[in-house]
Amino acid sequence: MFPDDDSEAPEEMEDEIPVVICAAAGRMGAAMAAINSIYSNTDANILFYVVGLRNTLSRIRKWIEHSKLREINFKIVEFNPIVLKGKVRPDSSRPELLQPLNFVRFYLPLLIHQHEKVIYLDDDVIVQGDIQELYDTTLALGHAAAFSDDCDLPSAQDMNRFVGLQNTYMGYLDYRKKTIKDLGISPSTCSFNPGVIVANMTEWKHQRITKQLEKWMQKNVEENLYSSSLGGGVATSPMLIVFHGKYSTINPLWHIRHLGWNPDTRYSEHFLQEAKLLHWNGRHKPWDFPSVHNDLWESWFVPDPAGIFKLNHHSS
């Protein structure tokens, strides 16, 4: 890949694919299913960075080491929510989105040091393809990240099934506010979903992305800039501003999403088979009831050795 230089990077460092995923107390089974699906569908050398808050770290370790996941390469990383102090408004209509771990994606270079390129995934995904393909996503020169565009799917005729779905900046930013208007971004600009990110750490640090994101969190605390009707946008809105016009795109099959949007909306089986990654963003999670396509998710579920996390399904 690169001409030989004199740096002492061990050979395997080059081939290692770092995948960052958060394990949150109330839904740890989600991260474990995601990890299982990634590990089972690739021959690549994955290093999982499993991020949690201090009081969950021993439970994360136990779940991995006392289950079929004991084979994986992993590091458990503590996220200290002190970095968020004064940067998050408490009055969200969906308090679960204020979970500190939602903001881990803002701090990737602080958590990961020796890797140039990193994959970040939300916990409510499963991967059906070989993650090497996602890792090989090309980032254009000067781009710190790649995301999947909200206009890439579902197709226009499917959109009516997703009533109320935001796919433009107008759904995330409050355009009545001067600070937002002054950005000069058209409200009809396509948004992107930061639940799947391929990031270049060198560019991220060079452009001081974390600092920029923090600035837009701070401004929101002062001026309430983001739309209150957010379908998950507490972490999305600052990213939409900071990465506007400066991101590469991920192959749409690597982020088939909105599976958690509406429990009455199903995708065709064929379409789901083609998908490389499935994301249950929205309120209806596949470990809860009601939800859709939970059979796909459950096939990757790793039972909790501590017996705490249980699937909540009403059997018909």
Side-chain angles (χ1 to χ4, degrees):
M1 284 265 293
F2 297 103
D4 283 341
D5 61 3
D6 293 329
S7 70
E8 287 298 316
E11 196 54 14
E12 63 271 17
M13 211 58 238
E14 285 301 299
D15 305 320
E16 224 169 28
I17 298 180
V19 175
V20 177
I21 193 152
C22 294
R27 45 192 273 177
M28 208 170 275
M32 300 302 163
I35 289 169
N36 186 27
S37 70
I38 294 163
Y39 180 72
S40 303
N41 284 311
T42 189
D43 291 327
N45 179 15
I46 311 297
L47 176 57
F48 291 99
Y49 285 84
V50 189
V51 185
L53 302 179
R54 174 170 294 177
N55 59 355
T56 61
L57 303 182
S58 62
R59 190 169 160 225
I60 295 170
R61 181 171 299 281
K62 182 176 177 186
W63 199 321
I64 293 173
E65 291 180 348
H66 293 84
S67 72
K68 63 187 287 191
L69 297 179
R70 67 176 71 89
E71 303 292 312
I72 69 172
N73 285 327
F74 69 99
K75 285 184 180 173
I76 294 177
V77 180
E78 177 184 350
F79 181 66
N80 187 342
I82 197 82
V83 295
L84 301 174
K85 200 168 161 52
K87 298 188 186 81
V88 182
R89 290 182 76 84
D91 54 322
S92 160
S93 55
R94 286 181 62 191
E96 77 272 15
L97 297 172
L98 292 175
Q99 227 280 350
L101 294 176
N102 257 313
F103 299 96
V104 161
R105 69 197 94 196
F106 289 13
Y107 295 95
L108 295 175
L110 297 178
L111 302 169
I112 288 187
H113 303 297
Q114 67 269 56
H115 300 277
E116 167 83 359
K117 198 176 188 185
V118 172
I119 293 173
Y120 167 90
L121 298 177
D122 275 351
D123 64 351
D124 50 356
V125 307
I126 58 153
V127 170
Q128 304 188 125
D130 182 343
I131 196 100
Q132 178 81 49
E133 270 177 50
L134 179 61
Y135 186 73
D136 291 340
T137 299
T138 305
L139 270 65
L141 204 61
H143 284 179
F147 307 97
S148 149
D149 258 328
D150 281 335
C151 297
D152 63 15
L153 68 25
S155 59
Q157 64 267 32
D158 286 345
M159 278 311 282
N160 59 4
R161 301 186 303 167
F162 297 100
V163 177
L165 187 67
Q166 288 110 351
N167 68 345
T168 65
Y169 273 53
M170 198 163 53
Y172 294 93
L173 306 179
D174 185 346
Y175 275 86
R176 296 167 304 186
K177 301 284 163 67
K178 183 179 185 315
T179 305
I180 296 299
K181 282 203 200 91
D182 288 351
L183 287 167
I185 301 174
S186 158
S188 60
T189 305
C190 267
S191 48
F192 56 80
N193 182 304
V196 176
I197 309 173
V198 182
N200 177 318
M201 293 294 95
T202 306
E203 276 299 330
W204 192 291
K205 288 185 274 204
H206 178 66
Q207 297 178 33
R208 308 186 60 181
I209 299 288
T210 298
K211 275 274 167 282
Q212 293 188 57
L213 290 166
E214 288 188 320
K215 178 184 96 173
W216 284 102
M217 289 168 83
Q218 214 110 40
K219 275 187 185 294
N220 181 49
V221 171
E222 295 154 15
E223 305 176 46
N224 200 9
L225 300 175
Y226 308 141
S227 199
S228 53
S229 57
L230 288 184
V234 185
T236 302
S237 302
M239 296 194 94
L240 290 177
I241 295 173
V242 171
F243 285 101
H244 174 251
K246 291 202 291 280
Y247 65 92
S248 298
T249 52
I250 287 170
N251 171 343
L253 288 176
W254 271 99
H255 198 174
I256 301 297
R257 52 199 178 282
H258 312 311
L259 274 75
W261 197 255
N262 177 347
D264 302 319
T265 300
R266 300 185 72 84
Y267 281 114
S268 78
E269 292 308 313
H270 173 71
F271 180 61
L272 291 169
Q273 275 163 6
E274 297 292 299
K276 308 282 193 177
L277 179 149
L278 300 172
H279 186 187
W280 278 263
N281 59 317
R283 290 173 191 267
H284 300 282
K285 303 303 185 194
W287 54 88
D288 269 334
F289 177 87
S291 56
V292 289
H293 304 302
N294 37 12
D295 50 320
L296 288 170
W297 184 86
E298 265 181 64
S299 64
W300 300 109
F301 176 60
V302 179
D304 180 359
I308 301 166
F309 182 96
K310 293 194 171 61
L311 298 180
N312 172 21
H313 288 157
H314 298 227
S315 26
S316 40

